[in-house]
Amino acid sequence: MHLVADRKGNITEENSRQDRLLEWLYGHGAGRLLLKPLVSPVFSRIGGAFLDSGLSRVLIRHFIRSHGIDMWEYQPKKYSSFNDFFTRRLAEGARRVDRDPGVLASPCDGRLSVYKITEDCTFTVKHAPYTVDSLLKDRRLSAEYTGGYVWLFRLCVDDYHRYIYADSGKIRKFVKIPGVLHTVNPAANEHYPVYKENTREYCILESEHFGRLIQMEVGAMMVGRIINHPRGSEVRRGWEKGRFAFGGSTVILITRKGAACPDGDILENSIKGIETKVRLGERVGAG
C-alpha cells in the first residue's frame, strides 16, 4: 500500500493488484518458491516475445478498462502488440516541459520520493533495499553525491512509460548493470524479503544547470525491459531518453550537494513517507 499526494495536497491510498502480487511473491514462502523460474532469462524471453507479438493485442482493451487509462492523452493508432500499446506516445500538448533554467524538470510520469544522501541513507526500489553505493556499484562515484539527493520516480502500469533527459548537457559515461537474484528461500520467515538486484542503466550527465547528475533507469524483474535510444555526447532537456516495455519500473536522479533542492511539498511528503504524483516535464525542484 502506498500513500500518494497530488500537487494540491490531496492524499489517497494506492494498492494495485500488481503491488499485491509483488508483495506476495517477495514476502511469502510460496511466492518466493515461484520467483526463481519467473525471473529466469528463459521466462523473460518467452514473456517478452509474447508481449511483442500480435497475439498479445487481445490484452489491450481489458488493460485500458481495468486501469482507467484516458486514451485521449495519446496519439491515435492501431497497435501491433501489447508492448506497442504500453509504450504508446503522448498526443502533442499532453505534457509541457518546464524550460526555466533554474528548475529541475521531472524526467517522467510517476510517484516521487526524495532522500537526502547520508552515510546511512537507504531506500527501496522494487521491493529491494539499496544504498547509493549498492545502486551504482561504484564507491568513488557515490561518494561525490554525499549531501545531495536521490530522486526516486516510481512508475505505475498506467503511467506514460517514456522518459526524457531532465536537463541539457554532455554525457560523460553510460553504465549497464545486470539484474541478480541472490537467494530464494521458501523456508524463510514469510516476512523476510528476497534480496535481489534489478537490471539498471545510468548515464553521468554534466548538466548545464545542476552540475554532474546521474540519471538511472531500473527495469522490473520478470519481463520488464529498458530500451534507451542511442545518442551522441550532447543532449537537450526534454529529449526522449528511452522507454520501458511492460512491467512498470523506476527512474532515479542523483544530484550533488547544493545542486538542486526538492520543492517544499515533495520534501515534506517524503519525510512523512508519502509519494508525490508528478508528470513528465513539470517542476519538482530548483537550483
Side-chain angles (χ1 to χ4, degrees):
M1 191 269 289
H2 301 273
L3 291 176
V4 179
D6 62 23
R7 299 306 297 268
K8 296 179 180 178
N10 302 308
I11 299 173
T12 57
E13 291 184 0
E14 292 185 350
N15 190 17
S16 68
R17 282 174 290 181
Q18 183 190 37
D19 288 333
R20 293 193 293 272
L21 174 61
L22 289 173
E23 287 169 5
W24 180 77
L25 282 171
Y26 296 127
H28 295 80
R32 285 195 294 272
L33 188 62
L34 290 173
L35 271 177
K36 202 161 194 175
L38 285 176
V39 300
S40 70
V42 172
F43 181 89
S44 291
R45 284 196 294 270
I46 293 172
F50 170 71
L51 294 175
D52 285 335
S53 75
L55 295 173
S56 64
R57 287 180 295 182
V58 300
L59 303 174
I60 295 174
R61 185 174 296 177
H62 174 73
F63 190 90
I64 292 171
R65 287 200 308 266
S66 62
H67 293 286
I69 297 171
D70 181 3
M71 294 304 295
W72 288 104
E73 286 196 321
Y74 300 95
Q75 297 177 10
K77 65 169 289 188
K78 184 175 181 179
Y79 299 105
S80 61
S81 67
F82 183 82
N83 264 336
D84 185 33
F85 155 75
F86 192 75
T87 58
R88 60 198 177 275
R89 289 186 178 276
L90 288 166
E92 187 173 350
R95 299 289 186 277
R96 185 185 71 84
V97 178
D98 196 317
R99 301 291 179 180
D100 186 327
V103 163
L104 182 64
S106 174
C108 60
D109 285 2
R111 282 72 170 160
L112 171 60
S113 299
V114 295
Y115 302 87
K116 187 78 170 178
I117 302 172
T118 61
E119 289 185 4
D120 58 353
C121 170
T122 61
F123 44 90
T124 301
V125 183
K126 296 291 179 187
H127 297 265
Y130 288 97
T131 63
V132 177
D133 270 0
S134 63
L135 188 71
L136 299 177
K137 288 191 173 294
D138 187 329
R139 183 167 295 179
R140 180 177 296 178
L141 178 62
S142 64
E144 296 179 19
Y145 292 86
T146 300
Y149 283 97
V150 171
W151 311 65
L152 197 156
F153 300 81
R154 180 178 64 88
L155 282 72
C156 294
V157 290
D158 55 334
D159 283 322
Y160 183 55
H161 270 70
R162 293 175 182 262
Y163 43 87
I164 62 172
Y165 286 98
D167 195 25
S168 303
K170 294 185 177 180
I171 301 293
R172 296 304 184 193
K173 188 177 183 181
F174 283 103
V175 178
K176 292 186 178 183
I177 302 173
V180 177
L181 185 67
H182 291 283
T183 60
V184 177
N185 183 5
N189 182 290
E190 67 174 4
H191 297 298
Y192 190 83
V194 173
Y195 178 62
K196 64 191 184 305
E197 292 186 26
N198 295 83
T199 300
R200 48 207 189 274
E201 299 183 11
Y202 68 87
C203 70
I204 301 173
L205 175 65
E206 197 72 57
S207 73
E208 288 185 1
H209 306 105
F210 304 101
R212 184 171 293 191
L213 63 81
I214 293 171
Q215 185 164 339
M216 172 182 283
E217 297 78 47
V218 185
M221 300 296 280
M222 295 176 275
V223 296
R225 297 201 307 274
I226 302 166
I227 306 167
N228 278 325
H229 305 314
R231 293 285 189 189
S233 61
E234 191 161 341
V235 298
R236 308 303 300 172
R237 179 189 301 212
W239 281 7
E240 186 174 290
K241 188 174 189 288
R243 65 190 187 273
F244 292 114
F246 177 73
S249 212
T250 302
V251 173
I252 299 173
L253 298 179
I254 305 176
T255 55
R256 286 179 166 180
K257 182 178 181 179
C261 183
D263 284 346
D265 61 326
I266 294 170
L267 189 57
E268 184 177 349
N269 287 339
S270 296
I271 291 170
K272 294 177 179 178
I274 301 171
E275 297 171 306
T276 305
K277 191 170 184 177
V278 299
R279 303 185 101 191
L280 180 149
E282 79 170 82
R283 171 184 170 137
V284 292

